[in-house]
Structure formats: structure tokens, C-alpha cells
Amino acid sequence: AGGGKSGGGWGRAYQGLVIGAVIASAVVYGVWFTLLWVVVPLFMTFVVFYRLYNDLQGPRPVKIGKDEVLKLSALEIAARIKARTLTSSQAVGAFIKQIELANPSINAMVAFRFAEARAEAEAADALTLSTPPEDLPELHGVPCSVKEAFSLKGMPNSSGLLARREVIAAEDAVVVDRIRKAGAIPLGVTNTSELCMWLESANPVYGRSKNPYDNRCIVGGSSGGEAAIISACGAPFGIGADIGGSIRLPSFFNGIFGHKPSAGLISNEGQYPCAINEAGRYHTTGPMCRHASDLWPLLKIMGGPDAAQWTSPSTVDIKDLTVYYGNPKYQLSLAIDEEQRAARDSAVAHLKSLGAKEVKELDMSKFKYGFDIWGAMLNASGGPSFSELLGNGKPLRASVEMVRWLLGFNSPYSFPALGLALIEGLGKLNPKREQRLIEYGLELRKKLNAELQNAVLIVPTYPVPAPRHHWPLLPPGSFVHTGIFNVMETPSTAVPMGLSSKGVPLGV
């Protein structure tokens, strides 16, 4: 009798488990049905109507003040200050005035240190009067901006993560310290994507930055606020960082110059987040500016003592240079449009006219899986996962947060960040394929670096000119046009090439 009762108890428990499983399955199915057939279509409908609404508004470029100093390079400003034809106070005042004019419409600079900058400019002017010009530092009295992901003493350092919105930097990042010791005066910090991992600079802390040429368009990410404020003449130069295109994409979208240095060349210390292990070589710090003439001097200052060993670009003879051009076709990417292709061809033709030794196409068919290679090589580096960073040290339940976001509940995270947290572990489902991708990437790196000895490769920075807000989600992998060169560890520079037919920048 006891066994019968026990068996009956087990039977009821089993029935309960079955019923529970059926109910749970129904709930899960219902949630996914709602997401796929209700929420996602509604979201896409919103995006389409949002774009139509913006189209009706027309482009709204920022206003640029008339002060001549706004158009000068950083080195020209420093030269005039040293020559006493311009004071640092005048230069700093002019750029502050321009930020106050332009920034409300583009939301590029998100925290300001104007009072401190004016005081530092006054001190620089006093030093100018008491010191021979040749003894003054290279960037003496020149204003600049700094990406918010870099520590700038006394300024926010959240990288757009809501859990870090109260974090204030206690000291300067290494590169920030170097430019300040070279005489530069930071005016404030600029917007990023959430945790610096998307190509729109929008986050729950500061909101969305807008393109100075057309505020319906993106500024890029993650150094998007930096590129936008420089483009809007709010600073002559700034500091960015790049692990998948975060210097070059914003520079392209905003029509300025941006350089991703060779792997390991410049210190990343003092950034948040900061990649470690092998990913620390893919993650590079570099200059962003409106004038190409500023790139090399800024790079040397950022490099510190090591820069004394570097070879100057002035030693390169174009007549000894092979110019390759590429026509990459990556998976999960838009196709290169005609205007971007024409910009590439124009750059190649110009180098040919200057006497380049040889011009030829580089076969980039093996770069097809660039998106997967970039992800596999980055994931293999170890360190905290993006999900852990998003959870501020604790693993985030990204699927739960994504459901909250899609259902309109108040999630503290952005949609792209949650999407990345969801997909970052996909490679672990097929470790053999992941390993093959890493080996393929290493072989590709070896071959590319061999090809580029005494040569340059010209490719479009991005397949199309600056798209509208939200549009990079479709498809999500077009950043691979820059990202692949991070894991290839090659230096790479974004160069503006005029404007498109819609009035936004083109570039290679």
C-alpha cells in the first residue's frame, strides 16, 4: 500500500512537471511570437516613419562662427600664440563660443570645463610673455577636446554606461597627460556609444549625438562626439580610440582626419573600458583633427618617449610606393555605393599623378569573412565579456533585458549594446570553426603585411556616406570595412574626400 501511495505521488509530481513544462513553453512561445510578429514589425514601422518624418524636415547643418582661429590647424594656433599674434585666451574663448553655438543642436560635447580652460589659458599667456618661443611646448595654449572614455581629471568617465554615471576621473589618462604636458588645454569631454562598442554615439547617460552636416545622420562611434565637435569647429583636434573603427568611422562620417596607429604603438592606459591581452593590440589610441598636417605631430606627442625612434612620413618617396586599391565584399555588410567607389578612385588617381611606382588592385576576396574573423580574434583574447562590462562587473542577463527593452519597459541599456551582449557568445557554440577563423585571420595578417611593405591600400572607409540614425542596424556588420584592419594590426587613416550628392562627407 505504501509503494502504491508513493507511486501515486510520483505520478502526480510527473503530471505537475508536464503541466508546468507545457505552461512554460506556452509562455516562451508567446513571448517570442509577440517579439517576432508584433514588437519587431512595430519597431521597423517606427523606424520607417521616423526616417520619412526626418526627410520632410530637411538637413540642418550646424552654424559656424566667423572667427578666423576656428579654421586654423592646431600647429598654426600654437605658432601664432608663440609669435604673440594670438593669445591662448583668445583661442580658447573663440572655441568655447563656437561650442556654445553649435553643441546644442548636435550634442557632441557632454561635459564642459570652460572655467578651468580659461584659467589655464591665462596661465599659458603669462608663460608666453616670460619664455622664448623655442622653449614653449609644441601645443602651447591650444584648445582641444577629449573622448569621455578617457580619464580627464575632474570630468565624468562613464563611457555611456548608466551604472557609471557618477564616476569622476581622479587623474588623467596617459595620452591626456601627454597632450596637456605638450601645452594643450582640454575644453571638455565628448559623447560615445554605450561602452564604446557601436557605430552610433548614443547611450542612456547622454543621449544621441548628431552629424554637423545633417543632424538627421549619425556621427559614428564610438568616438562620435569627438569627431562631431571637431568637425563643427568646436576644437582643432582631439583624442579617440579604435577597436573596430571607432576613430576612422566617426572621422569619415564627420569629414575630418583620424588615424588608427599600428598595434601597441600608443598607451591605452586610463580608458574605460580598456582591452587587455591580445585585444589590447587591436585597441588603439590615436589623433583626430581637421588638418592632415596635425596628424604626425599629434601622434608623436601621444607616443611619448618611444616616438623618438619612429620614422617620419616625410621620408616616404611616393615614386617608390605601390598603390593598391581594394573592392572588398564582406558578409553582413552593405555594398559599396558609387560615390564612395568614385572617392576611392579619385584618391588612387591622385597618388598616380604624383608619380606612384605602380597602381594595381589588391585581391580582397579572402576578406569575405572579415566580420567573423574580427569577432573570433577579439573573443580569443580573454578578459571580461561585454556582458560583464555592461553589468558593471556582474554578468548581465541580456535576453531578459532585451525583452524588457522591446516591450517598452524601462531598460537602462541601449538596443545595440544588448544585441552585442546576446551574440558575443555565439562563437563558443562552434569552437572548431572559431579556431579556424583565428588561424585564417593570422595567415591573412601575415600576407597583408607582406603585401604592404612600401605600399598603401586605398579602400572606402564605409560602404555609404553617413546613414540616418538607427539605420546601421540593417545590416549590422558594415563596420567590418574598418574593423578587419584592427586585427590585421595595420596602421589606417581616415581621409575626407569631399561631399556626397546629399551634402554629407565621402572618404577613404
Side-chain angles (χ1 to χ4, degrees):
K5 290 179 181 177
S6 175
W10 280 108
R12 286 191 294 275
Y14 178 75
Q15 289 175 343
L17 285 172
V18 171
I19 293 171
V22 170
I23 293 173
S25 298
V27 170
V28 171
Y29 177 81
V31 169
W32 280 110
F33 180 87
T34 302
L35 290 176
L36 290 173
W37 299 106
V38 179
V39 177
V40 171
L42 284 174
F43 176 72
M44 295 310 302
T45 301
F46 163 77
V47 170
V48 170
F49 277 100
Y50 179 82
R51 179 165 182 175
L52 290 173
Y53 170 78
N54 273 335
D55 283 342
L56 292 174
Q57 301 302 304
R60 296 185 292 278
V62 296
K63 297 177 181 179
I64 307 296
K66 296 181 179 179
D67 197 316
E68 178 194 11
V69 71
L70 299 176
K71 304 293 180 66
L72 299 177
S73 71
L75 291 189
E76 287 172 325
I77 294 171
R80 292 192 184 191
I81 292 172
K82 293 175 186 180
R84 303 182 187 179
T85 59
L86 174 72
T87 67
S88 178
S89 294
Q90 289 171 333
V92 165
F95 281 99
I96 289 174
K97 185 177 179 181
Q98 176 59 23
I99 291 169
E100 291 172 338
L101 176 66
N103 198 63
S105 65
I106 58 174
N107 189 36
M109 187 169 282
V110 292
F112 313 92
R113 57 185 308 277
F114 292 164
E116 296 91 334
R118 286 190 172 102
E120 289 167 17
E122 289 176 4
D125 289 334
L127 188 62
T128 303
L129 296 176
S130 62
T131 307
E134 62 272 15
D135 293 336
L136 292 170
E138 192 165 5
L139 297 175
H140 179 64
V142 179
C144 69
S145 56
V146 176
K147 183 180 181 179
E148 200 259 18
F150 287 87
S151 297
L152 173 58
K153 188 176 180 179
M155 299 300 287
N157 186 217
S158 70
S159 289
L161 184 66
L162 205 59
R164 286 178 56 88
R165 65 187 179 278
E166 303 298 333
V167 174
I168 301 297
E171 59 185 6
D172 289 341
V174 169
V175 168
V176 174
D177 179 62
R178 286 173 178 170
I179 66 159
R180 295 185 79 175
K181 285 179 178 175
I185 299 174
L187 301 178
V189 293
T190 56
N191 205 14
T192 73
S193 51
E194 190 171 14
L195 287 177
C196 301
M197 284 299 283
W198 184 238
L199 45 62
E200 266 224 73
S201 288
N203 60 69
V205 179
Y206 301 118
R208 187 179 308 279
S209 295
K210 300 177 181 179
N211 195 296
Y213 285 87
D214 184 344
N215 66 5
R216 300 170 300 174
C217 296
I218 70 170
V219 297
S222 62
S223 310
E226 194 72 352
I229 203 65
I230 295 168
S231 176
C233 295
F237 80 94
I239 305 172
D242 190 315
I243 199 169
S246 291
I247 286 174
R248 293 158 292 156
L249 289 171
S251 295
F252 160 61
F253 292 134
N254 294 276
I256 66 170
F257 293 88
H259 182 68
K260 181 203 85 68
S262 301
L265 206 63
I266 296 177
S267 173
N268 293 322
E269 187 178 343
Q271 294 183 54
Y272 188 88
C274 189
I276 62 173
N277 303 327
E278 195 66 16
R281 291 180 59 80
Y282 310 150
H283 181 203
T284 58
T285 296
M288 304 171 71
C289 49
R290 284 200 314 280
H291 293 263
S293 56
D294 284 335
L295 284 172
W296 175 242
L298 290 172
L299 192 67
K300 287 194 297 180
I301 291 167
M302 292 178 180
D306 293 341
Q309 308 300 319
W310 299 349
T311 302
S312 170
S314 63
T315 63
V316 176
D317 188 344
I318 291 180
K319 293 180 174 61
D320 295 330
L321 205 64
T322 297
V323 176
Y324 290 105
Y325 61 93
N327 186 34
K329 297 178 182 178
Y330 299 101
Q331 288 187 325
L332 297 176
S333 170
L334 296 167
I336 299 170
D337 83 351
E338 288 305 315
E339 287 188 289
Q340 275 292 83
R341 201 183 304 275
R344 178 205 63 191
D345 294 345
S346 177
V348 171
H350 181 66
L351 291 175
K352 184 177 181 180
S353 73
L354 293 177
K357 181 176 73 173
E358 188 177 11
V359 173
K360 57 183 178 180
E361 183 174 3
L362 181 70
D363 179 11
M364 298 189 71
S365 59
K366 292 182 179 179
F367 285 75
K368 177 180 179 181
Y369 300 103
F371 179 85
D372 292 338
I373 293 168
W374 176 85
M377 295 181 77
L378 210 59
N379 289 337
S381 300
S385 67
F386 184 73
S387 178
E388 289 172 320
L389 291 171
L390 207 56
N392 202 27
K394 299 177 182 178
L396 182 76
R397 297 175 67 188
S399 57
V400 174
E401 289 296 334
M402 180 62 85
V403 170
R404 286 183 62 192
W405 193 96
L406 290 169
L407 294 179
F409 297 120
N410 191 26
S411 174
Y413 307 102
S414 63
F415 181 82
L418 291 173
L420 178 58
L422 281 172
I423 68 171
E424 68 174 338
L426 291 180
K428 296 177 182 178
L429 300 177
N430 192 344
K432 290 184 178 180
R433 180 178 184 272
E434 198 85 341
Q435 185 58 38
R436 287 197 301 271
L437 286 166
I438 293 169
E439 292 170 359
Y440 189 83
L442 292 172
E443 183 63 25
L444 201 59
R445 181 198 297 170
K446 182 179 178 181
K447 290 179 179 178
L448 180 66
N449 281 279
E451 289 279 3
L452 295 184
Q453 292 300 312
N454 216 33
V456 293
L457 170 63
I458 310 293
V459 290
T461 316
Y462 192 75
V464 298
R468 302 294 171 83
H469 297 296
H470 310 292
W471 228 243
L473 292 167
L474 304 168
S478 294
F479 74 89
V480 70
H481 286 259
T482 50
I484 189 63
F485 297 108
N486 290 80
V487 294
M488 295 296 101
E489 300 190 355
T490 54
S492 180
T493 309
V495 178
M497 294 291 292
L499 301 180
S500 73
S501 57
K502 295 182 178 179
V504 292
L506 299 167
V508 296

